Amino acid sequence: MNRTAIILAFFCVFGSQAVLAQNDQGQLLTFEQYMSWVKNEHPLAKNARLLVDQAEGNLRSARGSFDPQLYGGVNQKRFAGSEYYHISEYGLKVPTWFGIEGKVAYEYNRGTYLNPENNVPENGLLVAGIKVPVGKRLFMDQRRAQLRKAQAMTNMSQAERTLELNQLLQDAASAYWKWSQANALLNIDQNALELTQERFEGIVQSYLGGDLPAIDTTESFLSVQQQQVKVIDARQMVIEAKMELETFLWKDEVPLELEDDMQPQDLTDEVKTKEIVNDSAQSWLNNIYNLHPKLKMNRAKIQQAQIDRRLKLEKLKPQLDLSYNYLSGYDDYENAELQRAYLNNNYKFGIDFKMPIFIRDGRGEVAAANAKLDMANFEMSSEMLNVKNKLNAAINKLINLNEQLNIQTEAVINYERLLEAEEIKFDNGESSVFLINSRQMKLVSAQEKLTELQRKHKIAQTKVMELSGVLFRQF
């Protein structure tokens, strides 16, 4: 290169550097703010909450089976000017948890051709009764089974919501730290470009002073160009990472875009969580049965299968229902003896009995319910092992990343020392531009490797919390 070409290259590099070096600090979007926003506003998070609302609605519906019930009815016949009969009954039935049903009713019947069985006093008849299942349905019936299964389904829906939230927040955390790493890489490349530019400036001055050959300016200029290309690539990576991050940002079901000057939290910053990962990981492993949403879902399935089995077992019992109704239809008595006689002798009592001979229907349903329960238990055992192994692997990965981070941090420091030493040797005429560029390339590579490890470490921390089932509680 002649002197004119070198000077032109000098000004071209400085002009492009002025553009490439733009990097305002801008606003800061912290990791905690971002994760809280995703948890509260993302459509998938809202959809997960609807699962719980739906289950709670079904639970409320199941509880309705135990609501007191008003009833009433009239049956009347008139023909040829005569009232054959008028039969009416109004009352209140009150079901209870133990299968016992209470009843309070009022009967009023009249008519020329009224069945004698339906005769009541002139002012009507008050009835207070109770019905008790002694055999089948004593310990479990359809209403109780429906309510118990709805309660288990509510627990399952809450666990499913937690599982979906954990997975969503883990994906969101990965996108955030990818954005943070992209910004860190851009800063590394811009710093390297500034150093390369300063070196090129010094080499040009040395060449103009006759201390260095022209080929050194060419080699230094190529290094500047290579670093400029890396800065452009790094800027593109930031744009792509930012766009990926924006897929997790919503407000009122409308996607949001970040401001151009928005910046992420630095990879080296400590992330505050409600639970310390390194100290809590082993305790989470020990308590995984109670913490992990998948295992909670499996427990709910087992509960439902157990309820089904208890209900089917009732079919093996004979049906034996007892009913008693106290009747009251008189207001006045001549003496206390008549009152006592009335209280003791006015009632209706009934016994209903039914029992299939072979009970094949009941035995078949019990066998199917037993198989369903065994399948749920086997699924629980398999899922328990799977979750434990995944959490164990995540904990070991986090431990290994801690060690790698410490080693790589020291390596970056050593590469910086080597570059400084090489620059001193170059100033003393004992090194070359090639060696300095080589040292700088190794330093940049080490710094890039460090940011990669920092990103993986941050993601590994949230992964441990996700696999423990507690990530959603942190934000």
Side-chain angles (χ1 to χ4, degrees), residues 289 298-299 301-303 305-306 309 369-384:
Y289 180 79
N298 278 70
R299 286 207 303 277
K301 288 181 182 179
I302 291 174
Q303 289 173 359
Q306 289 172 336
R309 182 176 180 275
N370 286 334
K372 183 178 179 181
L373 179 58
D374 289 340
M375 290 172 62
N377 284 320
F378 292 149
E379 184 179 353
M380 180 66 169
S381 300
S382 175
E383 194 63 51
M384 180 75 175

Side-chain angles (χ1 to χ4, degrees), residues 399-414:
I399 293 172
N400 291 333
L401 283 169
N402 276 329
E403 296 179 2
Q404 288 179 302
L405 265 177
N406 293 333
I407 295 171
Q408 190 64 26
T409 301
E410 293 180 1
V412 168
I413 295 172
N414 289 330

Side-chain angles (χ1 to χ4, degrees), residues 378-397:
F378 292 149
E379 184 179 353
M380 180 66 169
S381 300
S382 175
E383 194 63 51
M384 180 75 175
L385 180 61
N386 184 41
V387 168
K388 269 195 169 183
N389 287 341
K390 285 184 177 179
L391 180 56
N392 235 331
I395 292 173
N396 289 330
K397 182 176 181 180

Side-chain angles (χ1 to χ4, degrees), residues 153-271:
M153 181 59 71
T154 301
N155 294 334
M156 184 183 295
S157 298
Q158 290 172 344
E160 186 176 358
R161 171 182 177 265
T162 300
L163 182 65
E164 291 190 9
L165 272 180
N166 281 338
Q167 293 174 343
L168 171 65
L169 292 177
Q170 177 61 28
D171 293 339
S174 298
Y176 183 89
W177 295 121
K178 182 178 179 180
W179 179 40
S180 180
Q181 184 194 9
N183 276 271
L185 291 174
L186 176 60
N187 290 334
I188 290 171
D189 287 332
Q190 286 180 331
N191 291 335
L193 178 58
E194 290 176 4
L195 291 174
T196 306
Q197 180 61 57
E198 291 175 3
R199 189 177 303 117
F200 172 69
E201 178 185 356
I203 290 173
V204 168
Q205 295 297 330
S206 298
Y207 164 71
L208 294 176
D211 296 328
L212 290 175
I215 193 64
D216 284 351
T217 62
T218 302
E219 186 170 352
S220 181
F221 178 59
L222 288 174
S223 297
V224 172
Q225 289 180 316
Q226 291 173 352
Q227 200 59 45
Q228 286 175 336
V229 171
K230 289 193 66 177
V231 169
I232 294 172
D233 286 340
R235 285 191 183 280
Q236 182 60 31
M237 287 177 60
V238 170
I239 294 173
E240 293 175 358
K242 193 174 182 181
M243 292 176 64
E244 181 179 347
L245 181 87
E246 289 174 343
T247 62
F248 293 94
L249 295 177
W250 294 73
K251 177 63 176 178
D252 298 330
E253 300 180 9
V254 177
L256 301 179
E257 293 184 1
L258 292 176
E259 298 290 339
D260 293 337
D261 62 345
M262 190 68 73
Q263 297 294 316
Q265 194 170 331
D266 195 89
L267 284 168
T268 58
D269 292 345
E270 288 293 330
V271 177

